[in-house]
């Protein structure tokens, strides 16, 4: 999959800009606060229908404007596509794909695939389980539209069940409706667990290989799915949820289920989060992100777009060189404050004050 052009109107710091990347590596150079991440954010938005930096669409509309427009032309399996997004302060968002309006966000996700790696992604390795669940969810959603659908259902049921747990305190007769929610939680929840288990298995193999290549093979990275409820089928999950019900009623919240899952990351069997050095954590995060490329490629038969935001300076020359070789077949957008290694084949752009120029 390739982006052939991206045009922005009144999007963040861009009043009007046209970005035409090469199919290979694109180096986007600029000082801080010039608009490098803003550009990648627009691409990310086209893939996921949301920003990676804010939950508020309005923040992306240029300060003095009422609306922003993103137009992205791409090529996927030899077919050209056009995606148009309009963010309006008054009217909210409209999305058109190949000139047809999309009403649901689920119809957008998966049309265009990307993998973004930015310094904040170290949190996948460093922070609590929520970050790793988010990683699994994002990756699975963009590869399997059905996963995104089940996840939305599960989260809706979870919210409603939690609300019900609070209401039962004042209206005890509502207790009899709880089994229906338990059932729905179990059926959607078990589907999520199956996807996640298969995902972690594939990811572990790929990440191990990538990690070995980046780090010179000294240590072994392991990824393993650690479900909150270790059960064999939907019924097993239902029973666990039912058994936890009295505790849930006391705590007014759902205490077991895949919303508490973990994806364990270890290096030579030691938890990276607790025992890894900064360098080890960085290498592990990069290995995971690169594995996403392969997973998406395997499922969709297309390479996703890779975006590396401000991470080159954190990698030593050996890792940069490895990365360069690794990403050759992938359309890549790399941002940096200055040109580091010479990447002779890269197309170069400079960004200053919301203007993007090609050399
Ligand atoms: N809604 C907006 N309208 C106009 N400018 C914005 C908006 N949001 C952010 N900016 C500007 O964008 C710049 C930051 O851009 P960014 O892409 O994050 O920089 P960097 O090149 O460091 O990645 C800041 O100067 C900020 O003021
Ligand atoms: Mg930035």
């Amino acid at each position: 999959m390739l982006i052939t052009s991206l045009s922005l109107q009144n999007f963040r710091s861009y009043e009007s800009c046209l970005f035409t990347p090469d199919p290979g590596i694109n180096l986007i150079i600029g000082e801080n606060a010039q608009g490098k991440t803003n550009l990648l954010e627009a691409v990310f938005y086209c893939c996921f229908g949301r920003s990676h930096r804010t939950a508020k669409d309005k923040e992306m509309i240029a300060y003095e404007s009422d609306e922003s427009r993103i137009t992205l032309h791409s090529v996927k399996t030899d077919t050209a596509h056009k995606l148009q997004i309009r963010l309006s302060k008054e009217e909210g968002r409209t999305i058109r794909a190949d000139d047809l309006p999309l009403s649901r966000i689920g119809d957008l996700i998966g049309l265009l695939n990307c993998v973004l790696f930015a310094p904040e992604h170290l949190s996948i390795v460093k922070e609590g389980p929520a970050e790793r669940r988010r990683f699994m969810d994002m990756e699975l959603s963009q590869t399997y539209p059905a996963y995104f659908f089940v996840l939305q259902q599960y989260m809706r049921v979870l919210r409603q069940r939690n609300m019900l747990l609070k209401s039962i305190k004042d209206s005890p007769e509502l207790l009899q409706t709880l089994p229906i929610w338990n059932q729905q939680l179990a059926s959607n929840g078990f589907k999520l667990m199956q996807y996640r288990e298969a995902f972690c298995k594939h990811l572990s193999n790929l990440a191990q290989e990538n990690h070995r290549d980046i780090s010179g093979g000294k240590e072994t990275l392991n990824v393993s799915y650690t479900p909150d409820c270790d059960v064999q089928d939907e019924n097993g999950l239902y029973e666990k949820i039912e058994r936890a019900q009295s505790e849930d009623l006391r705590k007014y919240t759902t205490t077991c289920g895949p919303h508490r899952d973990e994806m364990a990351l270890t290096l030579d069997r030691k938890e990276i989060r607790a025992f890894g050095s900064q360098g080890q954590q960085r290498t592990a995060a990069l290995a995971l992100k690169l594995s996403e490329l392969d997973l998406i490629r395997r499922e969709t038969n297309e390479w996703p777009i890779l975006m590396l935001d401000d991470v080159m300076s954190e990698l030593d020359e050996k890792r940069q060189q490895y990365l360069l070789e690794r990403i050759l077949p992938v359309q890549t957008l790399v941002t940096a404050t200055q040109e580091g290694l010479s990447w002779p084949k890269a197309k170069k752009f400079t960004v200053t004050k919301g203007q993007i120029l090609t050399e």
Side-chain angles (χ1 to χ4, degrees), residues 10-14 30-41 53 58-64 68 309-310 335-337 351:
N10 301 319
F11 182 88
R12 294 243 189 225
S13 51
Y14 295 96
E31 297 288 310
N32 279 324
Q34 300 303 307
K36 301 183 297 298
T37 303
N38 294 346
L39 189 77
L40 302 191
E41 184 181 34
R53 299 203 279 195
K58 281 184 192 154
E59 277 179 26
M60 287 174 283
I61 301 172
Y63 296 140
E64 309 288 315
S68 288
D309 193 14
D310 240 343
T335 73
T337 45
V351 176

Side-chain angles (χ1 to χ4, degrees), residues 281-296:
Q281 291 177 341
R282 202 176 286 142
T283 308
L286 180 61
L288 287 173
K289 280 286 168 182
L290 292 178
S291 308
E292 272 193 70
L293 294 177
D294 298 296
L295 282 172
I296 294 172

Side-chain angles (χ1 to χ4, degrees), residues 5 31 50 70 105-106 111 117 167 207 242 276 282 323 335 350 359:
S5 78
E31 297 288 310
R50 63 178 198 81
I70 307 173
I105 192 70
L111 290 185
F117 187 42
S167 316
E242 204 172 41
R282 202 176 286 142
L323 192 62
T335 73
T350 45
E359 281 178 9

Side-chain angles (χ1 to χ4, degrees), residues 63-74:
Y63 296 140
E64 309 288 315
S65 314
D66 296 321
E67 63 169 59
S68 288
R69 281 173 195 269
I70 307 173
T71 309
L72 187 140
H73 289 269
S74 60

Side-chain angles (χ1 to χ4, degrees), residues 1-9 17-21 38-48 69-76 79-86 95-99 108 111-114 305 307 331 333:
M1 153 181 336
L2 294 175
I3 296 176
T4 45
S5 78
L6 171 73
S7 91
L8 302 176
Q9 266 86 47
C17 107
L18 177 67
F19 172 59
T20 49
N38 294 346
L39 189 77
L40 302 191
E41 184 181 34
V43 175
F44 188 96
Y45 197 98
C46 290
C47 298
F48 292 103
R69 281 173 195 269
I70 307 173
T71 309
L72 187 140
H73 289 269
S74 60
V75 176
K76 191 175 180 180
T79 313
H81 293 285
K82 180 168 75 173
L83 188 71
Q84 294 161 290
I85 295 173
R86 173 173 174 256
I95 303 179
R96 301 173 77 85
D98 295 331
D99 293 318
L108 174 73
L111 290 185
L112 204 72
N113 295 112
C114 77
I305 291 138
M307 300 195 282
Q331 186 178 42
L333 315 181

Side-chain angles (χ1 to χ4, degrees), residues 131-193:
E131 296 294 328
R132 287 176 289 287
R133 281 196 299 274
R134 201 206 317 264
F135 173 79
M136 288 193 278
D137 288 343
M138 294 271 290
E139 160 62 25
L140 281 161
S141 296
Q142 71 165 324
T143 337
Y144 306 101
Y147 180 88
F148 182 68
F149 180 74
V150 178
L151 181 66
Q152 279 183 317
Q153 296 286 320
Y154 180 84
M155 297 314 284
R156 186 181 57 83
V157 174
L158 183 65
R159 272 194 305 273
Q160 286 177 336
R161 186 175 186 273
N162 286 342
M163 255 157 29
L164 183 64
L165 290 168
K166 289 182 191 99
S167 316
I168 288 172
K169 183 170 53 135
D170 299 321
S171 324
E173 75 283 359
L174 288 173
L175 185 64
Q176 56 180 334
T177 62
L178 206 49
I180 304 166
W181 297 106
N182 294 353
Q183 187 56 58
Q184 289 201 32
L185 204 64
S187 91
N188 289 300
F190 191 69
K191 284 183 201 138
L192 292 183
M193 290 171 63

